[in-house]
Amino acid sequence: FQGMNMASHDQHLPNVVVDDDDLGVLAGGGIRGGGLMAHDQQLGGGLLVDLHASYLATSASVEASETVFELAAASHLRMSGAYWGLCALSLIRKTNAMDTNALVEWVASCQHSDSGGFGADTNHDAHILYTLSAVQILAIVDRMDAIDVKAAADYVAARQCADGSFTGDEWGERDTRFSYCAVSCLALLGRLDAIDVDAATTHVMSCMNFDGGFGCVPGGESHAGQVFTGVGALSIIDPQLRMLSEAQKRTMAAWLAERQTSKGGFNGRPEKLPDVCYSWWVLSALACLGKLHYVDGSKLRAFVLGCQNDERGGISDRPDDEADVYHTFFGIAGLSLLGLDTDVVDAVDARFALPEKVVERILLR
């Protein structure tokens, strides 16, 4: 997940009250939202589904990426952009707004015949980030048959280092994002056995800090996005998170809950502005920990809905900013985890950032 933003300074943080008696972890076929207090159901306003569908269909389409300057200039993010757009459309039940056959054909054209990995676009270098995005796209439309699955799995497995960490590509950068990408990708491909899972687990655990957050590397600054990559990877390996003590889970959940600002939205680090994308990074980790009740869901929902563009569709990072496909997806995914808009938003799996129905279909095979 290359889009983790580092926003500038923040508002004063609210006091956070947590219930240490609730140590349950959601497990089973999928990990999702729910369990928020009843008063959170009494909310006004709503998600602009049709506008967002139109916006996403244009922003993430193969044709628009070749003809719209802003999209062509972002070709280095194109594979992930296609995933964000398609997954958001799937969550709001509008997948038919996109030409998925053309999308699958393009995705397949981005696989490198020599390494098996995927680039962000045709003629782009292979990278583990875009390999995961490609696999997520094909998982949503149920078209794994369009690619060389073994080659893709071998590419991901080849990124693992002796200490259990993963590099993003042949140039050697290491980051817990890449650990998540590897574990998620291989799980979706049914090939977790291709890596040393114990070593991968040990490395991710070594990136956890005393405050409950995770850094990019051991000793790195805690960041909400990195908490997701850490907890997400560990949850895929063991949905019950038995590698974490109950004290560690509480500390981690408290650090995440402190990311909620007086505006209702979450920030990624202390003293930063709220940003819609953290609706996903924070809530997904809390969902994996079984701690969604640590935050105010109604205030978060109001913040996300307040960032909608009510003329052209799309969701921005903060109110009155320009909408983009990245924040649109993570805003919708965050709303899904809250479980307050089930009439228009399908359930998302907090570990895989995919619709629950997609994950259940794949894991039950």
Side-chain angles (χ1 to χ4, degrees):
F1 289 116
Q2 66 276 25
M4 295 176 190
N5 294 337
M6 304 285 187
S8 51
H9 36 297
D10 190 30
Q11 315 297 323
H12 293 296
L13 299 176
N15 291 327
V16 177
V17 178
V18 298
D19 178 9
D20 287 345
D21 292 330
D22 183 358
L23 299 172
V25 176
L26 299 174
I31 298 180
R32 59 171 295 183
L36 296 172
M37 292 184 292
H39 73 269
D40 282 348
Q41 303 291 340
Q42 307 303 316
L43 300 170
L47 190 67
L48 306 174
V49 173
D50 291 336
L51 274 177
H52 296 327
S54 176
Y55 171 81
L56 289 164
T58 299
S59 300
S61 73
V62 174
E63 296 81 4
S65 295
E66 296 172 348
T67 59
V68 179
F69 173 76
E70 291 85 350
L71 299 179
S75 62
H76 61 292
L77 298 174
R78 189 174 175 190
M79 186 68 74
S80 292
Y83 152 66
W84 298 328
L86 178 65
C87 196
L89 286 169
S90 180
L91 288 174
I92 59 175
R93 306 160 194 166
K94 299 286 186 179
T95 307
N96 59 0
M98 183 180 288
D99 185 347
T100 55
N101 290 326
L103 181 61
V104 169
E105 183 179 350
W106 169 74
V107 169
S109 74
C110 295
Q111 185 171 28
H112 287 235
S113 58
D114 55 344
S115 68
F118 289 78
D121 201 346
T122 53
N123 302 317
H124 283 235
D125 290 345
H127 197 286
I128 199 168
L129 288 168
Y130 307 116
T131 302
L132 173 60
S133 292
V135 169
Q136 289 169 318
I137 290 169
L138 298 175
I140 292 170
V141 298
D142 198 14
R143 285 298 311 277
M144 291 295 185
D145 62 293
I147 64 167
D148 186 335
V149 170
K150 181 181 183 303
D154 289 345
Y155 172 80
V156 173
R159 306 271 67 77
Q160 189 168 30
C161 304
D163 65 353
S165 65
F166 288 83
T167 62
D169 56 21
E170 61 183 301
W171 307 112
E173 180 188 7
R174 304 186 192 187
D175 189 320
T176 46
R177 289 178 303 160
F178 308 150
S179 296
Y180 172 81
C181 288
V183 171
S184 181
C185 189
L186 291 174
L188 292 172
L189 295 174
R191 287 297 313 280
L192 261 181
D193 60 337
I195 60 171
D196 186 335
V197 174
D198 290 340
T201 301
T202 298
H203 173 72
V204 171
M205 291 288 292
S206 74
C207 297
M208 184 168 58
N209 294 320
F210 71 93
D211 60 4
F214 281 79
C216 297
V217 294
E221 180 185 10
S222 293
H223 188 279
Q226 303 300 151
V227 177
F228 164 74
T229 61
V231 176
L234 296 176
S235 293
I236 292 171
I237 292 169
D238 178 8
Q240 296 182 24
L241 290 172
R242 283 169 289 198
M243 66 283 285
L244 294 173
S245 69
E246 294 181 350
Q248 287 173 319
K249 293 172 186 175
R250 289 197 299 269
T251 301
M252 195 177 302
W255 188 89
L256 290 165
E258 288 172 354
R259 305 280 63 77
Q260 189 161 33
T261 72
S262 59
K263 301 291 186 182
F266 296 135
N267 60 26
R269 296 175 292 166
E271 300 304 320
K272 299 294 183 179
L273 287 172
D275 186 317
V276 160
C277 70
Y278 295 113
S279 305
W280 170 260
W281 306 120
V282 172
L283 279 186
S284 57
L286 286 172
C288 291
L289 293 166
K291 306 291 188 185
L292 281 176
H293 61 287
Y294 274 35
V295 297
D296 188 328
S298 61
K299 289 187 68 175
L300 175 62
R301 180 180 184 270
F303 176 78
V304 173
L305 295 180
C307 294
Q308 297 180 104
N309 185 313
D310 59 6
E311 295 179 355
R312 293 176 295 172
I315 299 174
S316 59
D317 58 347
R318 285 180 282 277
D320 300 321
D321 284 352
E322 191 70 22
D324 60 73
V325 65
Y326 171 80
H327 289 92
T328 303
F329 167 56
F330 287 116
I332 291 172
L335 292 176
S336 175
L337 286 175
L338 288 175
L340 302 176
D341 295 272
T342 56
D343 56 327
V344 291
V345 183
D346 281 345
V348 67
D349 190 288
R351 299 166 298 172
F352 290 98
L354 288 170
E356 264 192 7
K357 59 188 178 184
V358 171
V359 175
E360 290 171 357
R361 167 171 37 86
I362 291 173
L363 298 188
L364 289 175
R365 283 180 174 172

